[in-house]
Amino acid sequence: MPVVTDLVRARLTATFPGPQAAASVTFLGTTALTVIRFGPDASGLVRYATVGVSEAPMHPPTASVVDPVLGPRAELVLSLRPGRDEVLRTLAVLAATPQVEGLVLTAGATIDLGQPLWPGARLSAVLLGEEAGLVPDLELPDPMEPVRFHPVLPMTADEAALARARGAAHLRQLWLDAGTDLRDPDRVSVLTR
């Protein structure tokens, strides 16, 4: 059976060619997680991607049986222009939530960290976007589910509150209507426009 993290790393490297650097983080009681920085590319865009979340399938804390093979698998991808390398630890914290809190990372999930995503950021929460957009799903041998790569969309606290109250689709529509650049690390809330 292939090592899932090796396949994930190969998929990411094929998707984001160019300069890269990596940092590994281990939290008490979790396996090591790696965050790879790709870029900047010609447009100044930097991608941060996790490797390690998908090593095991995710299960909610209420699951009566934790299957070591069956269950959803995911990794996270954050795009910023310009990059903010201080976000590496924050992304690792988000990636550890399945192991630490039993959170299943799926499209539409809102995670509020209650603190800036990096020093000085107005953004303190994230919305997980639809998979298979930026990085195609990684098919694994049966019976394992594919690894899904979720875009990490940074949000302000009031945007996170709106997403919880009205739904992620409502917030995404507001962003679309306002032409919000979610890759801008210095952007303001769509609700203050």
Side-chain angles (χ1 to χ4, degrees):
M1 187 175 290
V3 177
V4 174
T5 52
D6 291 345
L7 296 173
V8 166
R9 188 180 297 268
R11 171 61 56 92
L12 291 169
T13 302
T15 304
F16 305 122
Q20 60 179 274
S24 290
V25 179
T26 304
F27 300 100
L28 185 62
T30 68
T31 58
L33 296 164
T34 301
V35 180
I36 305 176
R37 177 191 197 268
F38 295 92
D41 63 14
S43 68
L45 199 60
V46 176
R47 314 276 188 185
Y48 301 93
T50 63
V51 177
V53 184
S54 60
E55 188 173 338
M58 298 175 287
H59 300 283
T62 57
S64 57
V65 176
V66 178
D67 191 301
V69 176
L70 300 177
R73 296 171 189 260
E75 296 291 351
L76 304 175
V77 180
L78 171 65
S79 301
L80 292 174
R81 182 183 28 247
R84 294 285 194 273
D85 288 351
E86 302 92 338
V87 79
L88 289 169
R89 181 163 175 75
T90 301
L91 198 54
V93 168
L94 293 170
T97 57
Q99 293 180 54
V100 175
E101 299 178 20
L103 180 66
V104 177
L105 302 174
T106 60
T110 299
I111 306 169
D112 195 336
L113 296 172
Q115 63 184 25
L117 298 181
W118 54 84
R122 295 182 186 101
L123 309 162
S124 60
V126 300
L127 174 68
L128 298 187
E130 296 291 331
E131 67 277 359
L134 190 58
V135 182
D137 292 347
L138 174 62
E139 297 295 329
L140 298 175
D142 283 335
M144 294 189 289
E145 291 187 31
V147 177
R148 306 199 188 281
F149 297 86
H150 292 282
V152 175
L153 310 174
M155 301 185 291
T156 62
D158 59 344
E159 289 173 334
L162 180 68
R164 285 190 299 275
R166 303 279 303 271
H170 179 77
L171 178 60
R172 282 195 299 268
Q173 189 60 51
L174 287 178
W175 284 336
L176 187 62
D177 292 347
T180 304
D181 182 1
L182 298 174
R183 300 167 300 185
D184 178 0
D186 299 316
R187 75 174 185 84
V188 297
S189 170
V190 71
L191 302 176
T192 61
R193 293 180 178 189

